[in-house]
Amino acid sequence: MENSSKEEYTIRSFDLETQKLLKTALKDPGSVDLEKVSNVIVDQSLKDQIFSREAGRICFTIVQAEAKQTNGNVFRRNLLNRLQQEFKAREETRKRSTHEWVCLVSFICNIFDYLKVNNMPMMALVHPVYDCLFRLAQSDALKNEEEVDCLVLQLHGIGDQLEKMNLQLMDELFNLLRDGFLLQEDLSSMGRLLLLEILEFRAGGWTLSETAQKYYYSEVTD
C-alpha cells in the first residue's frame, strides 16, 4: 500500500496524459506502448533528481506486471537499451550539465537496486554502475560538491550490494576516495566531510555507529 501511494505521488510530476499512460502501464502494461513508457521515465529521471531516486520502484512494478500478464520483458528490454545509450553518452552529459549527470547516475543506481533477476542484482549493470562511481571519484569530480554528494548517496544505498558483486572494484574505488581525501588539496570542507563519512561507513561494515552518525549529521546541518 505504501509503495503504491509513493508511485501515485511520484507520477503526479507529469502532465495528465502522461500520468494516465504510466498508471495504465503499472496495472495493464500490455495495453500501452512500453517503449514510450520507458522513454518517458528516463527523460524525467534526467531532469528530476527526486524522481530519478524513485523511478526504480515504478520500473520494477511495470516489469512485474508485464511478466505476470504476458510473461514478456518488452519494457525491461527497452529500458535497458535506453539506459545503455545514456551510459555511452555519459561524458558528454557531464560536460553539458552536472545536474543531468548526477540524475543519470542516481537513476542507473536506482535501477540496479530495484531490478533483480532471481533476487540477485543484474550482472549487466554491475560494471556500468562501477564506471559511474569511478568517474565521480576522479579528482575533477571530487572538487564538485554535487558530484561528491551523489557518489556518497549511491554508496549508502547500494554499496553493500555492489561490494558483494565485485569486492576488488570496491577496494579500488575506496583507494581512490582515500587518496582524494588525504592528498587532494582543493576539496571543499563539505566534500572532505562527506568523503570521511563514507570511508568510515564502509570501514564499519556499511553502517555508522550512533556517535559517528550524530557527529556527521550535526556537522552537515550546522
Side-chain angles (χ1 to χ4, degrees):
M1 188 67 195
E2 188 190 343
N3 279 358
S4 64
S5 64
K6 273 192 177 179
E7 280 150 17
E8 289 282 333
Y9 176 75
T10 308
I11 286 169
R12 278 186 213 149
S13 53
F14 293 94
D15 61 66
L16 288 173
E17 191 185 337
T18 309
Q19 285 186 38
K20 188 180 172 189
L21 175 73
L22 291 175
K23 284 177 182 175
T24 307
L26 288 163
K27 296 185 176 80
D28 183 15
S31 67
V32 294
D33 179 346
L34 290 172
E35 184 177 4
K36 185 178 179 184
V37 172
S38 63
N39 284 330
V40 160
I41 291 170
V42 176
D43 289 343
Q44 185 68 15
S45 293
L46 293 179
K47 290 186 288 197
D48 180 344
Q49 199 166 4
I50 293 169
F51 182 81
S52 73
R53 294 176 199 161
E54 297 290 336
R57 184 185 290 108
I58 293 174
C59 292
F60 171 75
T61 306
I62 297 171
V63 166
Q64 293 287 93
E66 188 191 4
K68 192 173 175 184
Q69 189 180 51
T70 63
N71 207 23
N73 65 352
V74 174
F75 174 74
R76 186 170 73 180
R77 191 173 67 246
N78 281 308
L79 177 69
L80 293 176
N81 283 344
R82 177 67 196 280
L83 263 187
Q84 188 176 30
Q85 289 168 25
E86 297 298 337
F87 175 73
K88 282 180 179 171
R90 66 194 180 281
E91 200 55 43
E92 289 83 354
T93 301
R94 184 179 179 270
K95 283 174 188 159
R96 183 175 67 246
S97 163
T98 303
H99 177 74
E100 268 187 56
W101 157 238
V102 297
C103 284
L104 174 64
V105 176
S106 292
F107 182 59
I108 290 175
C109 291
N110 200 243
I111 293 298
F112 172 83
D113 193 20
Y114 274 95
L115 259 57
K116 309 285 191 200
V117 176
N118 301 324
N119 288 326
M120 287 290 289
M122 293 175 68
M123 285 303 298
L125 290 176
V126 173
H127 280 279
V129 168
Y130 266 117
D131 284 347
C132 288
L133 299 183
F134 268 91
R135 185 63 191 88
L136 289 169
Q138 300 306 310
S139 57
D140 59 339
L142 292 178
K143 286 189 278 190
N144 185 324
E145 270 180 30
E146 199 179 349
E147 291 184 275
V148 178
D149 190 54
C150 176
L151 171 66
V152 168
L153 204 63
Q154 307 320 315
L155 286 167
H156 268 275
I158 61 169
D160 193 14
Q161 291 181 66
L162 263 183
E163 182 175 80
K164 286 171 185 158
M165 303 302 284
N166 194 318
L167 175 61
Q168 185 186 341
L169 283 177
M170 189 60 77
D171 284 342
E172 287 173 23
L173 178 65
F174 269 78
N175 286 340
L176 267 183
L177 297 180
R178 198 169 292 108
D179 286 351
F181 174 74
L182 293 172
L183 306 173
Q184 196 166 326
E185 291 174 3
D186 52 2
L187 296 180
S188 69
S189 55
M190 178 56 77
R192 197 172 291 283
L193 184 75
L194 287 167
L195 285 180
L196 181 59
E197 189 267 358
I198 201 64
L199 290 168
E200 193 165 333
F201 185 68
R202 187 194 181 206
W206 301 103
T207 185
L208 277 181
S209 69
E210 203 176 320
T211 315
Q213 213 158 0
K214 279 179 185 164
Y215 169 73
Y216 289 112
Y217 291 103
S218 67
E219 288 285 328
V220 167
T221 51
D222 283 351

